[in-house]
Amino acid sequence: MELLMDNLKTILFERQKIKGENLSLIFSVVSTLVFAFFVSRVSFFYYMYPCGIALVTLLMSREKGNIYVLPVVLLSLLTNQRVGYPLWGDLIATGVCGIIFFFWKKQWFDLSKRALFAAVITVVIKIAYGLNSQVFYLYDGVKIGGEGILILFFTHIFARMFTLIEENSTKQKSTAESIATVTVVALVFISGLFPSMIHELSPLYIGALLLSVMVGYKLGIMEGAICGVVGGLIIMGIANGMPSISGILACGGMMAGVLRREHRILCALGFMGICLSFGVLRGNPDLYMAVYEPVIAGVIFILIPGRILQKVDLLLVKVGRPGARYELIAKKQMKSKLKNYYDTFQYLALAYGKSRGEARLRSAENSREVMACQFRGMAKAVGGMMEEIETVGLGERLIPKVVRYSVQKGISTYAKAEGISGDSYLCTEFQPGQYMIVLSDGMGKGKKAAEESALTVNTLHYLMKAGFDAELALKIINSILLVKSTEEIFSTVDLAMVNLYTGRMRLFKIGGAATFIKRGNEVEMIKVSALPIGIIDQIPIESIEVSLRKGDQIILVSDGITEADRGESGLSWLKEAIAAIKSTDPQTAADLIINKAVERCGIRERDDMTVIVTTIQ
């Protein structure tokens, strides 16, 4: 029975594989036919049709079975509006070359020699047809010779295009060559797909403008300039554009490259401005460009959905960075492995988090909860790595994030017993662009309290550095403190996480004293009623989000500061003391606050005191 099932699975798998291969083949054939139809009908300098015969030459050199493209190319040539003796000469030359290459042995000549043979055949047939049809001028012969050169050019351009699509070449091509290939092929296809003008708008111009801004924005200044120059040359050949169009598009692509670290809207505005500014130069009417095409291209660039832009971005990454295919394969393999780890950790988290009966010891419950939290944390950390692998090199992630903020800290402490403070703290950048300020007050005094708070701070730091999110890390610490000893071990936690890219801060307060934020002369107090960590099993963890500005100060204090004066005034004295500090130096501010607290204590026994002042710069 098992053997029968295995055979059945094998048959079904093979059928699915065959079906998938057939669908892929059908898609490849249809795509080739559509591409061949539209590019073959494009004319250069009014009476040159090099794309069809170049494509037939290339495809027949790859496989004789590609003869199916020949009728489509011939039909496409007949759809061109400029039907005349030059077109009939191209029709005959294309048919002759297709038949010759069909019977031509594959090992005869390489692609370059085949392309040269096709160019010679075309030139000879068109000259003979022209001489037989009407008066033949020297200028006509020059044009026919130019078409032969274009056949050589497009044969190699299409060959490079197929290499980029199939990614099976072991030779590393230059970035400039790849960008030129994509630009030429894209604009030729657009020209064949759309009529020359739509309500006084040129799809070819819009396509060239859009390509320039996208390549410049995604790849850089040089790449944008290359795309613009090549796009201008194609416009000159197809739409009889002025030579100045290459310079305008190149400048636009360079401007997009300059603004590639800015928002898409700003980049589009800069691109439109540089393209249109040439039209206002006095004495240069050839530099004029209609307003509509640059504006439409800029608006399209702004409105492109993120998903589509990511697909385009992936293509541009392949074009702009040789060998990107192998990087993508490695990323897929790494993502697959991480997915296995993720699923495993998720399963273990569920397995250890399940209840196994009502009569359970508390220590056993807490031990399982610690393990379940750890597995959940590892699963989330692996999930974050998978997201980074998925997005790196795509969309906006190609542009490095800019750290807009920095921090300057000042710390002042006072130890109550034996010179050992029960407060522990840490201020560090635990991940790129993520800064953490954590203050923990261990219950009790002296060495025991210091050990409790240090355990909390260090564990929190290592967990978050490993990729655990703050909520889960705090839950793990809570479970660890519950398991660690039969005695009551608990401590307060104040955790401030500052995003140095955006200036946003998330503040977690678990049993800690009030936190203060000073902006100018105004002081805001944040106080949350909550139990310390390590007392109960299910600890509620909530956070407060604050938008910070440069110059703001975050002031974390332990309860030794807030309880220095237990009078009716509450904490108003502390707010007034913070507001009265004129110095912007965080260390000076921390020293002044702790001195004020000692002064308010008077002769009473002082608790451990810690003040952390962080200034956003």
Side-chain angles (χ1 to χ4, degrees):
M1 184 66 181
E2 292 181 1
L3 181 60
L4 179 62
M5 293 300 295
D6 289 340
N7 291 336
L8 181 59
K9 290 179 180 179
T10 302
I11 293 172
L12 291 175
F13 176 77
E14 290 297 329
R15 285 184 177 178
Q16 291 177 353
K17 183 178 180 180
I18 293 171
K19 183 179 179 181
E21 291 176 351
N22 288 338
L23 289 176
S24 177
L25 178 61
I26 292 172
F27 177 78
S28 176
V29 170
V30 172
S31 301
T32 302
L33 290 175
V34 171
F35 178 77
F37 180 83
F38 286 110
V39 300
S40 299
R41 65 195 301 264
V42 177
S43 63
F44 284 81
F45 303 106
Y46 294 108
Y47 298 110
M48 299 182 186
Y49 305 89
C51 296
I53 193 167
L55 190 59
V56 169
T57 302
L58 170 66
L59 293 177
M60 295 298 291
S61 70
R62 294 163 64 91
E63 182 62 47
K64 288 186 178 182
N66 290 327
I67 190 66
Y68 67 86
V69 176
L70 181 60
V72 175
V73 171
L74 296 175
L75 178 63
S76 174
L77 286 169
L78 290 173
T79 64
N80 194 288
Q81 297 177 355
R82 303 187 183 97
V83 178
Y85 88 90
L87 178 62
W88 289 109
D90 281 289
L91 276 168
I92 297 171
T94 303
V96 170
C97 287
I99 295 172
I100 292 176
F101 288 139
F102 181 74
F103 293 102
W104 195 301
K105 291 185 179 181
K106 193 172 184 180
Q107 62 269 25
W108 290 359
F109 298 159
D110 57 13
L111 180 61
S112 297
K113 293 179 180 178
R114 283 172 177 256
L116 180 60
F117 179 81
V120 171
I121 290 294
T122 303
V123 170
V124 171
I125 290 178
K126 291 196 70 171
I127 290 176
Y129 187 83
L131 291 172
N132 188 55
S133 300
Q134 62 180 34
V135 178
F136 189 79
Y137 296 100
L138 178 62
Y139 177 69
D140 296 317
V142 173
K143 288 195 300 182
I144 293 173
E147 183 172 354
I149 295 174
L150 287 178
I151 290 172
L152 293 172
F153 172 76
F154 277 102
T155 301
H156 289 87
I157 284 290
F158 291 145
R160 175 60 180 153
M161 178 199 70
F162 279 101
T163 300
L164 284 174
I165 294 173
E166 298 169 356
E167 300 177 317
N168 58 0
S169 176
T170 57
K171 297 181 180 180
Q172 296 296 328
K173 301 295 183 180
S174 67
T175 300
E177 181 181 348
S178 300
I179 292 173
T181 299
V182 171
T183 304
V184 170
V185 172
L187 293 183
V188 170
F189 183 78
I190 290 173
S191 180
L193 182 62
F194 296 101
S196 57
M197 299 293 289
I198 301 177
H199 300 294
E200 298 184 357
L201 295 176
S202 171
L204 182 60
Y205 272 78
I206 295 173
L209 288 161
L210 185 59
L211 270 176
S212 297
V213 66
M214 291 184 68
V215 171
Y217 184 69
K218 291 300 180 183
L219 297 182
I221 297 174
M222 182 187 72
E223 291 81 358
I226 293 172
C227 180
V229 170
V230 175
L233 293 174
I234 295 300
I235 289 176
M236 289 169 56
I238 296 177
N240 198 29
M242 300 302 297
S244 59
I245 189 64
S246 286
I248 296 175
L249 289 175
C251 291
M254 292 174 65
M255 176 59 72
V258 171
L259 299 175
R260 66 190 298 250
R261 297 183 183 276
E262 305 298 333
H263 195 277
R264 267 198 287 169
I265 296 177
L266 181 59
C267 177
L269 292 175
F271 175 81
M272 289 187 286
I274 199 69
C275 290
L276 296 176
S277 62
F278 285 96
V280 301
L281 297 177
R282 294 182 179 180
N284 291 279
D286 292 344
L287 295 178
Y288 175 75
M289 176 177 284
V291 176
Y292 307 109
E293 282 95 348
V295 172
I296 291 174
V299 171
I300 293 174
F301 175 65
I302 294 172
L303 297 179
I304 292 177
R307 290 185 177 180
I308 296 178
L309 191 63
Q310 284 187 353
K311 298 294 184 183
V312 175
D313 196 16
L314 179 59
L315 172 62
L316 293 179
V317 169
K318 294 178 182 178
V319 171
R321 193 170 67 238
R325 171 179 179 256
Y326 303 102
E327 295 179 19
L328 294 173
I329 292 174
K331 288 176 184 178
K332 288 180 180 179
Q333 293 174 346
M334 180 61 70
K335 184 181 175 184
S336 177
K337 291 182 180 179
L338 290 176
K339 181 65 166 59
N340 293 334
Y341 292 143
Y342 177 82
D343 293 339
T344 301
F345 291 143
Q346 286 281 53
Y347 166 76
L348 292 173
L350 292 173
Y352 279 91
K354 291 180 179 179
S355 173
R356 300 189 181 186
E358 298 181 0
R360 297 187 302 172
L361 296 175
R362 178 180 175 182
S363 60
E365 292 178 10
N366 293 332
S367 297
R368 278 195 292 271
E369 181 61 25
V370 171
M371 296 181 69
C373 287
Q374 289 174 343
F375 287 130
R376 282 196 294 271
M378 286 187 282
K380 286 192 174 183
V382 171
M385 294 171 64
M386 291 170 59
E387 290 182 3
E388 290 183 5
I389 290 176
E390 179 70 21
T391 55
V392 68
L394 305 177
E396 308 301 328
R397 296 292 183 92
L398 273 177
I399 304 172
K401 290 184 177 180
V402 178
V403 175
R404 302 181 183 275
Y405 301 89
S406 61
V407 295
Q408 184 181 2
K409 66 179 183 296
I411 302 169
S412 188
T413 63
Y414 170 83
K416 172 183 175 182
E418 303 172 355
I420 300 176
S421 174
D423 300 338
S424 295
Y425 58 85
L426 183 65
C427 303
T428 185
E429 187 174 354
F430 66 97
Q431 286 182 357
Q434 300 290 334
Y435 194 88
M436 69 182 296
I437 311 160
V438 57
L439 173 62
S440 177
D441 182 3
M443 295 298 102
K445 60 182 180 179
K447 184 177 180 180
K448 179 181 178 182
E451 290 177 350
E452 295 172 6
S453 60
L455 174 66
T456 300
V457 169
N458 292 330
T459 305
L460 182 61
H461 173 240
Y462 283 115
L463 288 173
M464 294 184 63
K465 188 176 181 181
F468 286 55
D469 58 37
E471 294 91 339
L472 191 55
L474 290 170
K475 288 181 180 179
I476 291 175
I477 295 171
N478 183 68
S479 300
I480 290 174
L481 294 180
L482 287 170
V483 172
K484 190 173 184 295
S485 174
T486 55
E487 302 176 5
E488 290 186 345
I489 298 177
F490 51 91
S491 57
T492 66
V493 176
D494 281 334
L495 171 62
M497 295 193 303
V498 181
N499 189 318
L500 301 181
Y501 300 123
T502 63
R504 298 284 295 178
M505 178 183 74
R506 290 184 70 193
L507 180 63
F508 295 85
K509 297 189 64 61
I510 305 178
T515 296
F516 301 87
I517 298 178
K518 183 180 180 181
R519 177 173 294 169
N521 295 324
E522 298 182 0
V523 179
E524 180 183 355
M525 181 175 68
I526 301 175
K527 186 171 178 59
V528 178
S529 298
L531 291 172
I533 198 167
I535 292 182
I536 60 176
D537 293 339
Q538 302 297 327
I539 183 171
I541 297 176
E542 298 180 355
S543 64
I544 300 169
E545 290 200 10
V546 181
S547 293
L548 300 174
R549 301 176 186 173
K550 291 187 176 182
D552 289 355
Q553 287 187 331
I554 309 162
I555 303 165
L556 271 61
V557 300
S558 62
D559 58 7
I561 299 292
T562 56
E563 294 178 1
D565 188 342
R566 301 175 182 176
E568 296 180 357
S569 60
L571 294 178
S572 59
W573 69 271
L574 185 53
K575 288 184 64 176
E576 293 172 0
I578 294 173
I581 297 173
K582 302 302 180 182
S583 175
T584 58
D585 177 53
Q587 187 59 55
T588 301
D591 293 338
L592 291 174
I593 292 171
I594 208 163
N595 291 338
K596 188 68 174 180
V598 171
E599 179 186 332
R600 300 290 295 195
C601 276
I603 61 173
R604 283 192 303 106
E605 183 182 11
R606 303 182 183 94
D607 194 2
D608 294 329
M609 298 182 184
T610 301
V611 179
I612 303 176
V613 179
T614 304
T615 303
I616 306 298
Q617 296 178 328

